[in-house]
Amino acid sequence: MCWCPKSVVVVFCRLVFLPGSFFPTSYAQHSPRTAARPNCAEARRAILLEHQGPRAIICALHKPFKFTAPMWDVLMNVLRRFTGENGQCVAAVYVGALPAAVVQQLQRAAERAGVSAACLLTSDILPTETHLDIKSAICDVYADTFDYNGHSSTADALWANVPVVTLPGRFFASRVSASLILGAQCPSSVIANSVQEYEVAIRLKVEEKLQHGMLCSRNVHMAQPELEILNARLRNAPLFRPRRWAERVRVAMRLAAELKAAAATAPRYHIIVA
């Protein structure tokens, strides 16, 4: 079931309610992200960052059409706040592997907003085997898009223990990341209620990173006991247990079939699977 804002919903059919997230995700095909500590130096080289580059990185790994004007304004507001006196980028936005023409448009848009084009970081397509470790090592916060949320990209960030900030909207595609955050049981992620809250949440994540003074994300510096707690939380989070989700779907379908068979005499119940 997808998370939705508080609202009155009138329906004229029987519904099936499932716990957790509608988007069960498995990373069994990858080596466990937490099996080895992500390498800071290798991760920064992957996005062509020198040692003296930005000290806080906002990840916005989205397809170009997802960058709406309101979200872009938020990112530029945050970057302006964290620009040094000499124009140095204290914080930067990592947009991943985008076509050159798109990158140029984003750079021009940044400069029109008073932000150096150098504050937008790009890279080649990251290797499948290491992309989660790289994101875990360099991303301090993941900025979700407004109208069309991340799906697998949000799940990747949550599995990599990168805090996600999202702003749910009215429609299904704009509520996906909130569902994933709840399914991942990620206490460091934020489901904002307004554009202002969204911007403040990203800014606070950046400030937290700068206060720690670390070159890469805190995932690189986690103590072993903290790492083991993280391992257990990720393994047991509903979002990352697809077999459990499938079992509950089977229960729901069996109940639906039984109600259908007894349609002549049974009340019109909704089905809620705990």
Side-chain angles (χ1 to χ4, degrees):
M1 179 182 177
C2 191
W3 183 92
C4 60
K6 295 179 180 179
S7 60
V8 177
V9 179
V10 179
V11 295
F12 298 95
C13 59
R14 283 174 287 186
L15 301 178
V16 175
F17 293 88
L18 296 173
S21 171
F22 86 102
F23 195 76
T25 305
S26 173
Y27 288 88
Q29 69 273 28
H30 299 288
S31 299
R33 185 207 62 79
T34 49
R37 207 66 58 89
N39 186 290
C40 178
E42 290 181 5
R44 289 180 72 86
R45 280 198 299 270
I47 60 172
L48 305 178
L49 268 181
E50 301 296 336
H51 183 81
Q52 298 299 323
R55 291 186 291 125
I57 297 178
I58 304 164
C59 280
L61 303 172
H62 308 295
K63 294 180 180 178
F65 75 89
K66 292 187 178 184
F67 285 104
T68 58
M71 183 215 178
W72 186 255
D73 289 343
V74 167
L75 295 178
M76 295 302 102
N77 289 345
V78 173
L79 291 183
R80 280 196 300 270
R81 179 182 286 267
F82 295 103
T83 299
E85 294 181 358
N86 58 353
Q88 180 186 10
C89 303
V90 179
V93 172
Y94 172 45
V95 296
L98 294 176
V102 173
V103 172
Q104 291 172 3
Q105 289 183 5
L106 293 178
Q107 290 173 337
R108 288 195 292 268
E111 290 172 344
R112 287 196 298 270
V115 174
S116 170
C119 295
L120 295 183
L121 306 178
T122 62
S123 70
D124 294 330
I125 296 176
L126 299 178
T128 302
E129 315 80 53
T130 58
H131 78 106
L132 292 174
D133 282 344
I134 291 172
K135 293 170 185 174
S136 178
I138 64 172
C139 295
D140 299 302
V141 59
Y142 191 88
D144 189 33
T145 42
F146 290 173
D147 298 328
Y148 196 121
N149 289 173
H151 289 56
S152 57
S153 58
T154 298
D156 284 351
L158 293 168
W159 180 256
N161 197 38
V162 177
V164 175
V165 178
T166 188
L167 175 62
R170 294 180 56 197
F171 304 105
F172 172 83
S174 62
R175 301 196 302 269
V176 171
S177 287
S179 173
L180 301 190
I181 289 171
L182 294 177
Q185 298 176 341
C186 183
S188 61
S189 293
V190 177
I191 301 173
N193 293 306
S194 66
V195 175
Q196 291 74 23
E197 280 190 18
Y198 177 91
E199 180 175 332
V200 168
I202 293 176
R203 176 168 55 81
L204 291 176
K205 295 294 183 185
V206 172
E207 289 178 350
E208 179 183 358
K209 166 62 183 299
L210 296 177
Q211 288 172 0
H212 283 122
M214 298 178 294
L215 186 61
C216 276
S217 79
R218 66 184 301 272
N219 292 320
V220 177
H221 305 278
M222 293 177 71
Q224 189 61 34
E226 190 178 9
L227 191 65
E228 291 174 358
I229 292 172
L230 171 63
N231 279 344
R233 179 178 66 76
L234 289 173
R235 285 195 300 266
N236 293 315
L239 177 64
F240 303 121
R241 298 184 66 184
R243 289 187 178 181
R244 185 181 182 190
W245 182 90
E247 291 169 0
R248 286 169 166 171
V249 170
R250 278 197 292 269
V251 170
M253 295 302 100
R254 177 176 55 80
L255 292 173
E258 291 174 358
L259 286 175
K260 177 68 174 177
T265 57
R268 294 180 61 84
Y269 288 126
H270 296 301
I271 296 174
I272 302 176
V273 181

